[in-house]
Amino acid sequence: MEERPGDDRPQLPQPSLWPVGFAVGIVCLLVGLVVSWWVAAVGAALALVFGFLWARDVTSGRPAAPAQSTDEPTTSVAAAEPETGERFPRSRFLEGATLGLGALIGVVVTLPAAGFALLPGFLKQKGHKVDLGPISDFQENKWQVVTFARDPTHAEISRRTAFVRNNGLLNGVPSFTIISNRCAHVGCPVQPGGPVFQKQEKTIKTANGEVLLTPVLPAAGFICPCHGGSYDQEGNRIAGPPVRGLDRYEFWIRNGHLILGNTFSVASVSGTGANAEIHKYELSGPGQHVDGPESWLYPLQPPH
Ligand code: FES
């Protein structure tokens, strides 16, 4: 409705579907951040298009729906003609300015917080190779608890623990089983299910700082103290709430030293030791399925 001099009735916006489309786009965007990039992209596109159409309607001065009123229609000829300079009425300008300013403040307040909270999880983390020392320090078919700094520049906060077993030779190449101690339920440190020989603990110095080797006999596999998760010696889940096997480390032998690489997730392991067949997947968070229909719920895996 065009503003008329002396007309103080509220300017009601005409019903429009653009706000609904905008809301649907925002919902898609938020769901997509959890579920999948392409859903987020579709949501962002919808929000942009419908937001633009909505803003254009609000600011273009589209005639508003006539208000239900019992007032007598004006018969004044002067009132029917817009005054000079009223082509863009002040009320519409204020409406548009308020919406625009609100949107700007929303973006300025939300974007940095969302960026700091969400972005790091989606950025590629730097991989670290860790020298665990000469392979002669790892007796064949014996387990050791190995504690090391993943990043020597942040030694104290990057200390990790792995369970390492020398499987002997496979086709003339040394074979190792290297299992992460991060529980596949919610990430508590799992413990060996057997005696740990603290008195035989050995510290060796490598390019990555100090590495601690402690012999252990995990006869009952590995056990999680938090909720009773239980794994066999290959890291297969055998009881409790974990949804998959224990993660493992990549490794190489360089100049007679055992070099540790990144971790990867494991659904399960068939066979044992050097003959194990590992069902390997990209590293996933604790509690996430990596195979079967349940894994469809976790299409997006932030790097770790
Ligand atoms: S964290 Fe290991 S069983 Fe829950």
Side-chain angles (χ1 to χ4, degrees):
M1 175 181 287
E2 294 292 336
E3 272 200 348
R4 295 166 181 160
D7 184 358
D8 58 354
R9 286 179 300 175
Q11 301 292 307
L12 296 179
Q14 197 175 41
S16 160
L17 284 178
W18 306 147
V20 178
F22 179 73
V24 169
I26 293 292
V27 170
C28 264
L29 174 63
L30 294 176
V31 170
L33 283 177
V34 178
V35 173
S36 161
W37 278 115
W38 68 265
V39 177
V42 169
L46 283 176
L48 275 178
V49 169
F50 283 106
F52 170 76
L53 292 172
W54 186 17
R56 194 189 60 172
D57 260 17
V58 166
T59 55
S60 68
R62 203 172 65 166
Q68 296 297 319
S69 169
T70 55
D71 289 350
E72 287 297 316
T74 179
T75 54
S76 160
V77 174
E81 292 177 1
E83 283 183 8
T84 308
E86 285 292 319
R87 286 174 56 212
F88 194 85
R90 188 173 48 181
S91 64
R92 295 218 178 279
F93 169 76
L94 289 175
E95 197 178 349
T98 307
L99 275 177
L101 195 62
L104 185 69
I105 291 172
V107 167
V108 168
V109 169
T110 311
L111 262 192
F116 281 123
L118 297 175
L119 265 187
F122 293 94
L123 297 176
K124 277 273 173 229
Q125 306 288 305
K126 199 170 132 201
H128 293 282
K129 292 193 171 68
V130 182
D131 183 351
L132 294 188
I135 58 173
S136 53
D137 279 324
F138 296 88
Q139 251 185 299
E140 208 169 306
N141 292 322
K142 301 279 188 212
W143 284 98
Q144 308 231 46
V145 182
V146 181
T147 310
F148 55 91
R150 195 146 176 74
D151 180 355
T153 58
H154 300 97
E156 288 316 309
I157 57 168
S158 71
R159 284 201 90 71
R160 300 281 185 276
T161 297
F163 305 113
V164 181
R165 181 184 59 200
N166 181 348
N167 298 321
L169 296 179
L170 176 67
N171 301 326
V173 178
S175 161
F176 283 83
T177 297
I178 307 180
I179 294 179
S180 163
N181 76 332
R182 185 182 73 156
C183 182
H185 178 216
V186 288
C188 284
V190 300
Q191 311 292 325
V196 178
F197 304 102
Q198 297 282 3
K199 289 191 176 153
Q200 297 173 34
E201 191 175 276
K202 182 176 176 183
T203 303
I204 52 174
K205 292 226 188 277
T206 73
N208 290 83
E210 287 189 347
V211 175
L212 212 63
L213 307 178
T214 312
V216 67
L217 190 60
F222 304 98
I223 294 159
C224 181
C226 289
H227 313 102
S230 175
Y231 306 85
D232 67 15
Q233 286 199 12
E234 295 301 324
N236 284 313
R237 174 205 170 269
I238 50 178
V243 298
R244 59 171 201 261
L246 289 169
D247 298 336
R248 290 194 177 207
Y249 283 89
E250 299 169 333
F251 70 91
W252 302 268
I253 309 298
R254 296 257 166 82
N255 302 323
H257 280 224
L258 178 59
I259 309 293
L260 216 60
N262 290 325
T263 36
F264 59 90
S265 287
V266 176
S268 61
V269 177
S270 321
T272 58
N275 299 312
E277 187 185 325
I278 301 163
H279 301 277
K280 173 179 177 179
Y281 291 84
E282 186 184 344
L283 182 65
S284 300
Q288 298 186 358
H289 293 260
V290 291
D291 64 346
E294 296 98 332
S295 66
W296 302 342
L297 296 170
Y298 308 95
L300 206 62
Q301 300 296 341
H304 296 255

